[in-house]
Amino acid sequence: MEPKVSIGILWNKAVSFVLNSDYSCLGKVVTEEKTVFLSNGQILWEGNMYDELYFEPQNDNASFTLKDVVIGIGFHWERKEDQVFQGALKLIVENDMITAVNIIGVEDYLTSVISSEMSATASPELLKAHAVISRSWLLAQIEKNKEIAAANEKYSTFTETEDEIIRWYDREDHLYFDVCADDHCQRYQGITRASANLVTVKQAISETWGQVLMSDNKICDARFSKCCGGVVEEFQNCWEDIPHSYLVKLRDSEHGKDIPDLIQETEAVNWIHTRPEAFCNTQDKKILGQVLNNYDQETVDFYRWQVTYSQEELSALVLKRSGIDFGLIEKLIPVQRGTSGRLVKLKIVGTKKTLTIGKELEIRRILSTSHLYSSAFTIDRKNDTFIVSGAGWGHGVGLCQIGAAVMGEQGYLYDRILLHYYVGASIETLY
Ligand SMILES: [Zn+2]
Ligand SMILES: [Zn+2]
């Protein structure tokens, strides 16, 4: 049977919601608008105190509206809006806040997530591949959360010494629900938006119902990113230092037997400064538009790109983004690269301080006002100017979305696309 997923939607001292049809709670039928308040670590509702409240829908089409959901947390477009959800509503207390959690069937959740993530022009095979990936990722995440809770140990995403700070950003920090609704996990906005691609997404979901990627009898943690840059990165170079047999280096091309050794600096430089053939080596706006929702047609080159900073700009940027005062930055030195040429460690040499940082996302955060496209880059200094030349977009692990879109256009079926990127995995139907 289809499993359920619990999604943490919002955190606040008071939560307002509207039950749009009949729900039951504590044996009573409830409906209409409600507001609950945090009071002495409990939930105050209609004069009584509760540790948690559970509102169960009384029919399949029941929905509730959550007021003032914050979306785009930490981004320039952060704002509040009311959102509509199907399924059950659970209110719990966490970190001195009331958390609103939505509980729905996995396939309904996937329909919502994929229709907001994917463009209306995405090909059916690309959508099917995405459905399998999102489902695998979600179910693997639920399994992993259970394991971490059972092992009862604090999951660490950080190592720090006097001259090195290595961080990675993963998703194992939700204790009382499976995933959150923001980009941290997968963006989920309930059923508020009737998107143009809803019919095709529903079809992709039903044609792949219950299908996941499996490897060694476990559901694959199916990572994906926008553009690998021609060679795929390995899991342990971006996150926890545990290799995954299906998230390994590979050449993103049909005849891709020869994989350059991009861990070597000279090979990485040569690779990044040229445009080798690859599925994702495309500037076709129609194909890019399949992957990038609301794609602005200006940037077309994600395969190879360039950013320049003056020394002053770079120094100010790094200070602002890292909070560390390096003084004037003199050099950026590659210390360790992964299989796709992405930097795992970068040494920043300043007039006041020298420090090595990693992994890839930390490097991208510090070297850009938002995020640098990827950490597969080289640095050339010409007088006062730092020229950052790069390859790909995102962490580059697992499926390459632009590459997969090209494969879909070339007539590859979704299972061929998936098995190209997840080495040695198989597709199995769980329910
Ligand atoms: Zn999350
Ligand atoms: Zn690629």
Side-chain angles (χ1 to χ4, degrees), residues 10 14 26 32 39 230 275 286 336:
L10 70 78
L26 304 165
E32 298 174 350
S39 175
R275 307 183 59 92
K286 248 183 71 197
Q336 185 191 334

Side-chain angles (χ1 to χ4, degrees), residues 133-148:
I133 292 172
S134 293
R135 189 181 293 112
S136 305
W137 174 81
L138 177 68
L139 296 174
Q141 208 60 36
I142 293 173
E143 288 294 306
K144 206 155 148 198
N145 284 344
K146 277 189 211 151
E147 282 169 24
I148 289 170

Side-chain angles (χ1 to χ4, degrees), residues 226-232 252 278-281 303 400-403 421:
K226 290 276 190 273
C227 175
C228 71
V231 172
V232 169
D252 191 12
F279 283 127
C280 56
N281 182 356
Y303 192 66
C400 167
Q401 287 181 298
I402 292 173
Y421 290 106

Side-chain angles (χ1 to χ4, degrees), residues 164 166 262-270 272-273 330-338 341-349 354-358 363 367 375-381 386-389:
E164 196 175 271
I166 305 300
L262 303 180
I263 290 169
Q264 305 302 327
E265 189 60 23
T266 48
E267 290 221 31
V269 171
N270 181 41
I272 293 167
H273 290 183
E330 312 243 276
K331 276 184 204 159
L332 298 174
I333 305 170
V335 175
Q336 185 191 334
R337 289 187 189 272
R342 279 172 175 75
L343 283 165
V344 180
K345 293 183 180 181
L346 174 73
K347 188 189 263 188
I348 302 175
V349 181
T354 293
L355 190 69
T356 297
I357 60 163
I363 295 170
L367 291 185
S375 75
F377 59 77
T378 62
I379 310 102
D380 295 297
R381 188 171 168 186
F386 287 79
I387 303 160
V388 180
S389 309

